[in-house]
């Protein structure tokens, strides 16, 4: 039981990260019907931004609790701006000229962009993995013997303990706050209204005076900003990043977006949480070697049997 | 009056400056340079390095973002100054002159047939092994894979991102059959191992093509792409983790080399050299392998060209153009797609078994997504559906990589740590994006019609809308 609860906590943490990346996929797909293959690599790029900014900040402000909270906020803000700028430029250079070209052209361009980004980072930052000392240590002891924490919610004499690490709390809290803010942005502001209009019918939206190109740009920037937050969390959680670390989280986040129903924002988050849970439970109870196989299989099975996902609208093909 | 006059004069002046072609290009160039500079600030300016104690530190290099900005300015300025109008109507893609289209393949074929002799004559026995093996055979493997994938992507319009899975199936089938099955159960077959396993590997890969294709082929274009990518990764992960059979990362070594139709290439009395009364040299095998892969590649080309003229080939191309119209005409789309998938896979399987036999050693490292991307890039950059274009693109990309290894003189310019080969995938990715923007139809965007009234007339690829399904 304790083991299961622990894996549940780990899975939800992982799922928050996947969910944030998945929103970027689902928004772009919803608005221009394109699989943004490079999104995973944009996420990877953001982890590098986060690490570089952290390495500048930490020696200046020290490692007290307040300093780390301040550093995380600054890193997230700078990361969101930089990653957003990158994704904006990528959209302008690699995708916008292909709008109206044949259907697979943007996808192929995105695959090229994905290869370019990961190899670009490899060339300019070197092929070795980069690591950072653990920023947030310790956690709440939910159950178990009081070895790591002083107080336990449900103290037991022996057995497997359940710990909710502080960094997991931070990750889940930030995800929840961000999603609330994001939901407000999409549902209640003119910008979000324009976005939803473009998603439903971009031609009609253009006729009604919405600048569709600008809305698409904003969508890319927003997706990248959420990926940047996910990048900071990934760095906090794992502490080690490399140039090729965008591919697998990218495919998993895409799986999450498809599972939740592509085009649906709550679906993307739900899908992310499911994928995170499946991955951590699979590694715990079956085989850690095959955890990626599990995620990829979910993708295949979902697309075959439930192509519109859990919360997506079924696609109607018109001639 | 003067107060009114002045702004007008100023306007005219500024208009002549800003509206002149060079002025506009310069402004746009500066904007682009500023963007490049902002983009490159964190990632190019600061590099995360580790010192001797593995403590990370940041290494600052101011010159890199400045170079990025300069390159950005020059590229944008030249592009705008040369083209004049920033946004003009796209001209139809260039159609190759009939004479070139007719004679280039023949010239290429003659060159390929004579290639080992040319290499021998130019660089001698010692130097030519490298040029025939690393360059010639390597390029031909990718040309064969490109032509195989072209059946799936170019003819049938199904974007397959996991093509390397079938290549892996072929390679591992041959490796396991030749190192485990044949020595234990049919030792008398050993000299013929490669020739028996080659069609078997093709069949097994085709079978896997059907198994993987059956559930996914009703998916739409980009979904299909992602699922094939997932399948490719699943097969690679299984190869890594199923250590009892595949030996995981360690790979399978000691895979038997192909024989000259039963005669092994060695120094023994029954070897190829002794039988034909030649002096033994490893060059014989290399040249033989070259002709084997050339024959296999030409077989792929020939089969796909013939299939195009058969009803199934016409159905593929019809499917690529419009799936719904196909279905309403009574074409069984699933079967049509499945045949394309299986035939494409079988060629990948054969190429894979050749690869295993030539390398003597295989491991899952050789079958990453990057390989799929390179093959796909050859098909896309060459112009989907154009056999000649795919061959040229594969030659340029794989041959270009091998030439990058030769560019040692670049070290004299960029310093000793400069390694040109690490830019290989960077250039691939960049050229995929650039070519999609510049020529979405690929280098040779010409369509050879398979049906024609009186004279065969190539048409520009812009008139067909491939990859729609």
């Amino acid at each position: 039981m304790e083991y299961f609860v622990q894996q549940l906590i780990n899975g939800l943490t992982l799922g928050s990260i996947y969910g944030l990346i998945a929103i970027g996929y689902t928004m772009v797909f919803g608005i221009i019907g394109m699989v943004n293959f490079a999104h995973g690599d944009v996420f990877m790029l953001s982890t590098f931004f986060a690490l570089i900014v952290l390495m500048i900040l930490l020696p200046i402000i020290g490692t007290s609790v307040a300093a780390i909270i301040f550093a995380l906020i600054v890193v997230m803000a700078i990361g969101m701006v930089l990653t957003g700028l990158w994704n904006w430029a990528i959209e302008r250079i690699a995708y916008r000229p292909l709008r109206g070209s044949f259907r697979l052209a943007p996808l192929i361009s995105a695959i090229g962009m994905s290869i370019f980004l990961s190899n670009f980072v490899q060339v300019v930052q070197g092929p070795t993995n980069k690591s950072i000392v653990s920023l947030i240590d310790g956690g709440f002891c939910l159950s178990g013997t009081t070895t790591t924490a002083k107080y336990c919610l449900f103290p037991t004499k022996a057995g497997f303990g359940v710990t909710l690490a502080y960094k997991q709390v931070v990750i889940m809290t930030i995800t929840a706050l961000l999603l609330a803010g994001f939901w407000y942005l999409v549902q209640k502001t003119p910008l979000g209204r324009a976005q939803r209009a473009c998603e439903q019918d971009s031609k009609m939206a253009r006729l009604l005076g919405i600048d569709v190109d600008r809305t698409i740009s904003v969508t890319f920037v927003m997706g990248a900003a959420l990926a940047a937050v996910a990048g900071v969390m990934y760095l906090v959680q794992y502490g080690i990043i490399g140039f090729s670390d965008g591919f697998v989280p990218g495919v998993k986040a895409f799986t999450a977006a498809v599972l939740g129903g592509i085009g649906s924002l709550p679906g993307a988050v739900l899908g992310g949480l499911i994928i995170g849970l499946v991955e951590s439970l699979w590694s715990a109870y079956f085989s850690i070697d095959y955890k990626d196989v599990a995620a990829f299989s979910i993708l295949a099975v979902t697309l075959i049997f439930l192509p519109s996902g859990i919360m997506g609208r079924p696609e109607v093909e018109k001639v | 009056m003067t107060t009114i006059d002045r702004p007008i004069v100023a306007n005219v002046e500024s208009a002549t400056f800003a509206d002149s072609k060079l002025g506009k290009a310069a402004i746009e160039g500066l904007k682009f340079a500023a963007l490049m500079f902002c983009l490159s600030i964190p990632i190019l300016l600061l590099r995360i390095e580790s010192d001797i104690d593995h403590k990370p530190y940041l290494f600052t290099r101011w010159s890199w973002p400045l170079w990025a900005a300069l390159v950005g300015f020059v590229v944008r300025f030249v592009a705008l100054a040369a083209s004049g109008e920033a946004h003009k109507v796209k001209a139809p893609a260039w159609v190759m002159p009939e004479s070139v289209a007719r004679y280039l393949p023949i010239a290429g074929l003659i060159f390929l047939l004579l290639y080992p002799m040319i290499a021998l004559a130019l660089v001698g026995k010692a130097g030519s092994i490298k040029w025939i093996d690393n360059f010639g055979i390597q390029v031909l493997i990718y040309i064969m894979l490109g032509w195989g994938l072209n059946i799936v992507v170019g003819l049938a319009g199904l974007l397959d991102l996991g093509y390397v899975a079938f290549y892996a199936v072929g390679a591992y089938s041959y490796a396991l059959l030749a190192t485990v099955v044949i020595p234990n159960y049919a030792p008398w077959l050993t000299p013929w191992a490669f020739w028996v396993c080659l069609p078997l590997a093709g069949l097994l890969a085709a079978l896997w093509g059907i198994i993987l294709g059956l559930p996914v082929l009703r998916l739409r274009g980009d979904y299909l792409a992602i699922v094939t990518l997932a399948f490719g990764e699943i097969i690679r992960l299984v190869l890594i983790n199923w250590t009892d059979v595949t030996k995981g990362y360690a790979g399978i070594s000691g895979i038997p080399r192909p024989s000259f139709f039963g005669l092994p290439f060695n120094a023994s009395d029954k070897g190829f050299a002794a039988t034909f009364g030649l002096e033994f040299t490893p060059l014989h095998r290399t040249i033989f392998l070259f002709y084997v892969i050339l024959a296999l590649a030409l077989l792929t080309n020939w089969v796909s060209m013939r299939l195009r003229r058969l009803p199934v080939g016409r159905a593929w191309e019809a499917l690529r153009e419009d799936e719904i119209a196909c279905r309403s005409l009574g074409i069984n789309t699933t079967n049509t797609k499945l045949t394309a998938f299986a035939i494409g896979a079988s060629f990948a399987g054969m190429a894979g078994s050749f690869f295993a036999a030539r390398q003597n050693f295989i491991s899952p490292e050789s079958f990453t997504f990057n390989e799929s991307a390179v093959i796909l890039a050859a098909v896309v950059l060459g112009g989907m559906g154009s056999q000649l274009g795919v061959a040229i693109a594969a030659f340029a990309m794989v041959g270009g990589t091998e030439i990058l290894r030769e560019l040692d003189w670049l070290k004299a310019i960029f310093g000793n740590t400069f390694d040109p080969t690490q830019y290989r995938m960077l250039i691939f990715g960049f050229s995929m994006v650039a070519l999609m923007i510049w020529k979405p139809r690929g280098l040779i965007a010409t369509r050879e019609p398979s049906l024609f009234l009186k004279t065969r007339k190539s048409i520009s690829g812009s008139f067909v809308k491939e990859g729609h399904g």
Side-chain angles (χ1 to χ4, degrees):
Chain A
M1 182 62 200
E2 279 88 0
Y3 190 54
F4 179 76
V5 174
Q6 183 69 62
Q7 294 307 327
L8 218 57
I9 294 172
N10 295 347
L12 287 177
T13 317
L14 199 59
S16 314
I17 296 177
Y18 290 152
L20 285 178
I21 311 175
I23 290 179
Y25 278 107
T26 218
M27 281 203 308
V28 167
F29 194 93
I31 207 161
I32 52 175
M34 160 199 166
V35 179
N36 184 8
F37 202 84
H39 195 63
D41 295 275
V42 170
F43 159 75
M44 178 272 302
L45 200 62
S46 80
T47 61
F48 273 83
F49 292 151
L51 181 53
I52 288 173
V53 177
L54 264 182
M55 284 176 68
I56 298 172
L57 272 182
L58 283 183
I60 302 173
I61 59 170
T63 49
S64 65
V65 174
I68 283 183
I69 292 173
F70 174 72
L72 282 182
I73 292 170
V74 172
V75 165
M76 266 178 213
I78 295 181
M80 283 165 105
V81 171
L82 286 174
T83 319
L85 186 65
W86 264 87
N87 217 18
W88 177 81
I90 289 170
E91 194 267 332
R92 283 301 286 263
I93 293 169
Y95 306 149
R96 186 174 294 185
L98 291 172
R99 219 162 283 157
S101 185
F102 72 110
R103 174 150 195 174
L104 294 177
L107 179 61
I108 291 163
S109 182
I111 293 170
M113 198 34 110
S114 156
I115 298 172
F116 173 80
L117 283 178
S118 62
N119 286 279
F120 171 74
V121 173
Q122 184 192 8
V123 166
V124 300
Q125 293 287 337
T128 51
N129 281 343
K130 318 286 177 196
S131 58
I132 189 167
V133 287
S134 180
L135 284 177
I136 308 168
D137 288 318
F140 300 108
C141 176
L142 293 188
S143 145
T145 51
T146 50
T147 45
T148 46
K150 274 181 187 159
Y151 305 104
C152 248
L153 202 57
F154 301 107
T156 52
K157 294 245 157 50
F160 194 87
V162 178
T163 320
L164 179 62
Y166 292 137
K167 59 185 175 189
Q168 293 176 321
V169 178
V170 170
I171 289 174
M172 286 190 247
T173 315
I174 294 178
T175 307
L177 286 178
L178 209 63
L179 288 178
F182 187 69
W183 177 86
Y184 179 81
L185 190 69
V186 171
Q187 295 294 329
K188 304 281 173 193
T189 61
L191 182 69
R193 204 152 40 238
Q195 247 172 355
R196 284 179 289 137
C198 289
E199 194 186 320
Q200 281 176 8
D201 190 338
S202 64
K203 205 173 274 174
M204 191 65 209
R206 198 188 296 270
L207 284 174
L208 292 176
I210 291 172
D211 189 343
V212 175
D213 279 339
R214 190 175 145 270
T215 313
I216 292 172
S217 282
V218 170
T219 306
F220 271 85
V221 171
M222 272 158 60
L226 291 177
V229 175
V232 176
M233 293 174 175
Y234 186 85
L235 188 66
V236 168
Q237 172 76 6
Y238 294 103
I240 184 158
I241 56 172
F243 72 92
S244 59
D245 282 355
F247 181 68
V248 171
V251 175
K252 283 180 188 161
F254 179 75
T255 309
V258 170
L259 184 62
I262 200 143
S264 150
L265 296 180
V269 180
L270 182 69
L273 292 178
I274 293 176
I275 293 289
L277 283 175
V278 167
E279 189 180 328
S280 72
L281 292 176
W282 183 282
S283 330
Y285 289 104
F286 297 103
S287 143
I288 195 157
D289 292 331
Y290 285 99
K291 69 180 163 80
D292 290 352
V293 174
F296 290 132
S297 309
I298 292 179
L299 174 62
V301 170
T302 317
L303 277 179
I304 294 162
F305 294 107
L306 194 70
S308 53
I310 299 171
M311 301 174 99
R313 287 183 298 270
E315 197 169 326
V316 184
E317 204 168 355
K318 287 181 199 150
V319 184
Chain B
M1 288 299 271
T2 48
T3 49
I4 300 167
D5 272 347
R6 201 165 279 162
I8 292 171
V9 172
N11 260 345
V12 169
E13 270 177 356
S14 68
T16 51
F17 167 69
D19 285 345
S20 76
K21 201 161 128 185
L22 287 182
K24 255 187 182 169
I27 292 170
E28 282 298 311
L30 281 177
K31 274 188 202 163
F32 197 65
L35 175 66
M36 291 296 272
F37 188 74
C38 292
L39 288 181
S40 63
I41 272 294
I43 197 98
L44 279 183
L45 176 65
L46 301 162
R47 178 176 167 137
I48 309 158
E49 295 274 11
S50 304
D51 58 14
I52 299 168
D53 304 328
H54 298 291
K55 262 186 75 100
Y57 68 97
L58 288 172
F59 172 76
T60 316
R61 39 186 187 192
W62 274 105
S63 61
W64 286 43
L66 293 175
W67 275 110
L70 187 67
V71 169
F73 175 77
V74 170
V75 167
R76 189 83 178 135
F77 182 76
V78 169
L80 286 184
S83 72
E85 286 292 306
H87 304 285
K88 60 175 181 186
V89 182
K90 273 191 184 153
W94 176 72
V95 175
M96 215 192 324
E98 289 285 308
S99 54
V100 179
R102 187 170 304 157
Y103 293 114
L104 196 61
I106 301 170
L109 187 60
I110 292 172
F111 173 74
L112 280 174
L113 283 172
L114 295 177
Y115 177 76
M117 291 39 162
I118 297 171
L120 265 178
L122 287 181
V123 286
K125 270 188 181 174
S128 59
I129 284 193
K130 187 182 82 184
W131 278 100
I132 298 172
D133 193 29
N134 291 353
F135 193 79
I137 295 180
Q138 189 75 9
V139 168
L140 281 172
I141 290 178
Y142 279 93
I143 290 182
M144 176 171 177
L145 287 170
W147 278 340
L149 184 60
N150 198 18
I151 298 176
V152 185
V153 178
L155 296 185
L158 308 165
L159 191 60
D160 183 355
L161 293 180
Y163 193 61
V164 82
F166 306 122
Y167 186 48
V169 166
Y172 271 87
S173 318
Y174 174 62
L176 292 173
L177 284 173
T179 58
V180 180
V181 178
I182 289 181
N184 288 335
Y185 299 102
W188 47 272
L189 212 58
T190 311
W192 291 88
F194 177 71
W195 300 102
V196 176
C197 294
L198 185 68
L200 272 182
L203 281 178
L204 279 171
L207 186 69
W208 273 98
I210 293 171
I211 292 172
L212 297 188
L214 206 52
V216 301
L217 282 174
R218 59 199 178 95
L219 295 176
R220 244 186 24 196
D222 26 14
Y223 277 2
L224 177 76
I226 301 289
V227 172
T228 51
L229 167 82
F231 276 145
E233 284 298 299
I234 289 175
I235 286 196
R236 192 175 67 86
L237 289 166
V238 170
L239 289 179
I240 290 172
N241 291 311
W242 196 12
T243 43
D244 296 343
V245 174
T246 63
K247 303 206 178 96
Y249 276 117
I252 299 175
S253 53
I255 302 168
R257 309 269 199 165
S259 59
F260 185 79
F261 307 107
L263 296 175
F265 287 95
N266 55 24
S268 71
D269 285 346
K270 287 194 171 172
F272 171 79
T275 313
F276 287 88
L278 299 165
E279 195 188 335
F280 171 73
T281 149
L283 202 58
H284 290 152
R285 173 169 38 220
T286 312
I287 294 177
F288 177 66
L289 283 176
F290 180 85
Y291 283 117
V292 170
I293 185 65
L294 181 59
L296 284 174
L298 290 176
L299 177 77
T300 313
N301 182 30
W302 183 75
V303 169
S304 50
M305 290 319 279
R306 298 297 296 177
L307 282 174
R308 261 191 83 186
R309 287 176 178 75
L310 288 179
V312 65
R314 302 232 166 98
W316 289 341
E317 293 196 90
L319 200 65
R320 178 190 67 206
E321 303 303 329
D322 198 327
E323 189 173 339
I324 296 169
C326 264
R327 212 179 298 153
S328 52
L329 285 172
I331 292 174
N332 184 337
T333 50
T334 311
N335 281 356
T336 312
K337 285 176 178 178
L338 216 50
T339 44
F341 225 62
I343 292 171
S346 72
F347 286 119
M350 286 198 245
S353 72
F354 175 84
F355 174 76
R358 169 220 176 200
Q359 294 289 97
N360 199 359
F361 165 78
I362 49 168
S363 76
E365 298 286 292
S366 310
F367 308 105
T368 56
F369 171 67
N370 264 353
E371 295 299 309
S372 280
V374 170
I375 305 164
L376 181 72
V379 175
V380 171
L381 303 189
M384 285 183 261
S386 155
Q387 300 290 92
L388 183 62
V390 172
I392 291 174
F395 172 77
M397 292 199 313
V398 182
T401 319
E402 296 302 317
I403 286 171
L404 274 181
R405 289 189 215 283
E406 306 291 316
L407 295 180
D408 279 338
W409 54 271
L410 280 175
K411 282 189 179 160
I413 305 173
F414 295 104
N416 254 334
T417 51
F418 181 78
D419 175 17
T421 48
Q422 68 174 346
Y423 292 93
R424 170 186 181 223
M425 292 307 290
L426 188 72
I427 297 170
F428 274 175
F430 182 77
S431 52
M432 268 172 98
V433 177
L435 216 81
M436 268 301 120
I437 295 166
W438 177 51
K439 268 176 181 268
R441 300 283 161 182
L443 281 176
I444 298 183
T446 323
R447 288 275 160 199
E448 276 291 313
S450 50
L451 255 182
F452 46 92
L453 187 59
K454 286 193 182 87
T455 50
R456 174 185 296 257
K457 225 166 107 189
S458 297
I459 54 157
S460 162
S462 327
F463 297 118
V464 291
K465 51 167 194 175
E466 69 224 86
H468 184 74

